[in-house]
Amino acid sequence: MTSKRLCFEPGHKPKCLVIVDDTAEWDRAVYYASRWAIRAGGGVVMLRIIEPEQQSQEWLGVADIMRAEAHEAAEAALDRAAGRANGIAAITPERVIREGAAMEQLLAVIDEDPDIAMLVLAANPGAEGPGPLVALLAHALGTFPVPVTVISGALSDQSVDSLS
């Protein structure tokens, strides 16, 4: 399924893929990816995944409204994240909104863009666990098509600067 990575071939540039979700730690992933983009001469792709809700046929009108609201919320989240990336690294990240199951959409975005060189996630430092996506990916890391970097949500900007 996964296409060959072309990120370091002539005419291409490496990109970091970052998931912009509703967790408190998404900012750490955006910060790291933006700093990495400066050093690698690359770019950042920001992905927001909308997971569809199960709706019966009689509620399709409501489902359409909910879908439109989810897209508006996704655009707003990507606006915030893109503003943060631009403030950190003076870059304009690519923005992608996908609908469907998180892992399926994540793999599809990687497969469709051969310049994606790495996935960057941030882990929740709290006792409730690392977060839903980090937990989900933990089971797939051995077969994942690109390297995955997980940043602690507890790291400060200065700590991330020294690592990226």
Side-chain angles (χ1 to χ4, degrees), residues 48-136:
R48 177 74 175 211
I49 300 171
I50 301 170
E51 294 196 51
E53 309 235 355
Q54 296 291 333
Q55 301 291 332
S56 65
Q57 288 287 61
E58 61 195 52
W59 294 101
L60 285 180
V62 173
D64 289 342
I65 292 169
M66 290 174 63
R67 184 172 178 249
E69 289 173 351
H71 273 272
E72 286 178 24
E75 289 289 352
L78 289 173
D79 285 346
R80 284 188 305 277
R84 179 76 165 128
N86 188 275
I88 296 163
I91 60 172
T92 302
E94 295 176 39
R95 302 157 49 121
V96 179
I97 298 174
R98 299 293 288 257
E99 290 184 51
M103 185 63 82
E104 181 180 306
Q105 296 307 314
L106 177 59
L107 290 171
V109 168
I110 293 170
D111 191 49
E112 293 164 10
D113 188 341
D115 290 342
I116 293 175
M118 172 182 10
L119 171 64
V120 177
L121 301 172
N124 179 354
E128 58 275 2
L133 194 54
V134 173
L136 179 66

